[in-house]
Amino acid sequence: MDNKCNLGERNELNENSSHNSEQSVDDSLADSVDVHLKKMTVTDSKVEVDKSEMLASNDCEENFGHSARTLTPEEIAKLKKDVTCVSDFKQNKLEKEAQKNWDLFYKRNTTKFFKDRHWTKREFDDLCALETETGQRIILEVGCGVGNFIWPLLQEDKSLFFYACDFSPRAVQFVKDNPEYDSTRCSAFQCDITKDDLSVTIPQDSVDVVSMIFVLSAIHPDKMEAALSNIMKVMKPGGNLLFRDYGLYDYAMLRFASGHKLSENFYVRQDGTRAYYFSTDKLLDLVKSVGFDMTLSQCEYIQRDTVNKKEDLCVPRIFVQGRFIKPKSPEHS
């Protein structure tokens, strides 16, 4: 894999500041990291989950560490100390206002926050290798934002047709307003994938590839299974779900001050948007529960050490990446 990484994924290094004075040192570090982000070198490594262990339980996360990340004593102490969760009243309010908070995010940042994701074709070779009988490949992007995943692929591959949905109506409108938007090759629509039936807009068993890039983490853990079941309905038998999201013990997770924890591994940012940090076990349990073919699926941690030698900064990012296959016949589920 290329050692230089496009750093256009959402930068959370400067988002979770606190009014608590104990957080001021962390905030200063994050500000410094943010200023010099484009000058950093990123070293990538992958840690795959062994096929024989995919369905087995693993207690290493409970011991504060996993195959891609070893925590320092200070980090462990911080996690053990952070045991108080946000009140039920506030949690219910955040759930009710989830769409509004994401809409406000896109109102503030318009199309300028994310960069086009040119790395996706390199990372997910399924987008290049997939062949279909008709010659056209149907892709659904869940959580399309302003289209940073869509535009590079539409430009490079004329055989693609995209369905693109997002929770935020404002984000969907940005997609439709983009000069690259062509209704003969792309259909963008607003959708809450936890409750809105995708098959109303997309024929069942029709999609070759579904992408979920930093999307499932924004959904309440109680609704993740419903979202995956909804997606699976429109996938072709043998179709691919391509997944990347925040991993357990990512740098952003460890920066949250007290008062931001919603539940285990689930946090709220200053702007009201939320983030869940996945272990590979958690993700595998989810995809197994909705019926993906576990014999063909892949799941791994992605570790990225973002280093600025001049500032003597090292920011360990942890992501979880997976490729999950819808069974070709019922007996494989």
Side-chain angles (χ1 to χ4, degrees):
M1 184 182 296
D2 218 345
N3 272 353
K4 297 290 182 180
C5 164
N6 184 300
L7 294 174
E9 296 106 357
R10 179 169 187 174
N11 172 25
E12 294 187 81
L13 305 181
N14 195 30
E15 285 189 325
N16 306 308
S17 58
S18 169
H19 297 296
N20 190 320
S21 60
E22 292 179 355
Q23 195 68 7
S24 60
V25 174
D26 284 343
D27 290 341
S28 298
L29 172 61
D31 290 339
S32 180
V33 170
D34 193 35
V35 168
H36 298 285
L37 194 59
K38 291 184 179 180
K39 299 179 182 179
M40 291 182 176
T41 298
V42 178
T43 304
D44 293 356
S45 62
K46 293 185 178 182
V47 184
E48 292 199 22
V49 178
D50 189 276
K51 291 279 180 102
S52 64
E53 299 176 356
M54 286 180 68
L55 303 182
S57 63
N58 189 333
D59 295 330
C60 64
E61 278 86 359
E62 297 178 8
N63 297 324
F64 298 101
H66 53 63
S67 55
R69 183 80 159 86
T70 301
L71 302 187
T72 66
E74 292 78 15
E75 290 169 335
I76 293 172
K78 183 178 186 295
L79 287 174
K80 286 184 175 180
K81 184 180 178 182
D82 190 14
V83 295
T84 304
C85 294
V86 170
S87 68
D88 289 343
F89 174 80
K90 185 174 181 181
Q91 295 218 34
N92 290 333
K93 187 172 186 289
L94 288 168
E95 181 66 21
K96 290 178 182 178
E97 296 179 351
Q99 184 182 77
K100 183 185 79 171
N101 288 330
W102 278 110
D103 227 36
L104 288 172
F105 170 83
Y106 287 108
K107 182 179 180 179
R108 287 191 303 272
N109 297 288
T110 65
T111 60
K112 300 174 183 178
F113 196 89
F114 302 100
K115 295 180 180 179
D116 284 351
R117 289 170 169 161
H118 294 278
W119 55 268
T120 50
K121 194 167 184 178
R122 181 184 70 237
E123 293 279 336
F124 297 114
D125 58 2
D126 303 273
L127 290 174
C128 311
L130 188 65
E131 296 183 1
T132 65
E133 294 179 3
T134 63
Q136 185 181 57
R137 293 175 290 179
I138 309 298
I139 298 181
L140 165 62
E141 186 185 14
V142 179
C144 63
V146 299
N148 302 96
F149 178 83
I150 301 169
W151 311 128
L153 291 170
L154 284 177
Q155 290 168 5
E156 292 183 33
D157 193 333
K158 302 301 181 183
S159 74
L160 301 181
F161 180 89
F162 265 94
Y163 290 104
C165 66
D166 201 276
F167 195 24
S168 164
R170 192 181 300 271
V172 172
Q173 193 58 50
F174 278 130
V175 172
K176 291 182 174 181
D177 291 342
N178 192 297
E180 298 287 338
Y181 186 78
D182 178 355
S183 60
T184 66
R185 299 192 64 206
C186 184
S187 174
F189 60 100
Q190 191 277 332
C191 180
D192 177 352
I193 60 167
T194 68
K195 64 180 182 179
D196 297 337
D197 189 349
L198 282 171
S199 64
V200 172
T201 304
I202 306 170
Q204 289 193 26
D205 302 327
S206 67
V207 175
D208 296 293
V209 176
V210 177
S211 68
M212 293 189 79
I213 313 295
F214 300 102
V215 174
L216 197 61
S217 57
I219 295 173
H220 193 286
D222 291 347
K223 297 183 177 182
M224 289 178 181
E225 187 173 319
L228 290 171
S229 295
N230 195 9
I231 290 163
M232 197 175 188
K233 284 192 299 185
V234 299
M235 294 174 64
K236 287 181 179 178
N240 295 267
L241 168 60
L242 306 180
F243 182 97
R244 179 181 283 190
D245 221 317
Y246 303 112
L248 189 64
Y249 308 135
D250 178 49
Y251 175 82
M253 173 183 170
L254 298 175
R255 282 201 64 249
F256 280 104
S258 59
H260 289 254
K261 188 173 184 177
L262 300 173
S263 61
E264 194 69 22
N265 306 329
F266 192 41
Y267 296 84
V268 59
R269 306 183 183 97
Q270 287 292 99
D271 63 1
T273 61
R274 298 167 296 177
Y276 186 89
Y277 295 85
F278 289 92
S279 68
T280 51
D281 284 339
K282 173 66 174 178
L283 182 55
L284 289 168
D285 285 345
L286 279 169
V287 296
K288 180 187 177 185
S289 69
V290 300
F292 281 94
D293 188 341
M294 302 307 291
T295 63
L296 296 176
S297 296
Q298 302 169 2
C299 186
E300 61 194 2
Y301 286 110
I302 302 292
Q303 180 183 11
R304 292 188 165 174
D305 291 326
T306 305
V307 180
N308 186 304
K309 294 182 179 179
K310 182 178 179 181
E311 301 295 327
D312 194 27
L313 296 173
C314 179
V315 180
R317 302 308 308 266
I318 302 293
F319 305 130
V320 171
Q321 182 164 297
R323 173 177 174 265
F324 307 110
I325 312 299
K326 180 176 177 176
K328 290 186 177 182
S329 56
E331 61 265 25
H332 289 118
S333 57

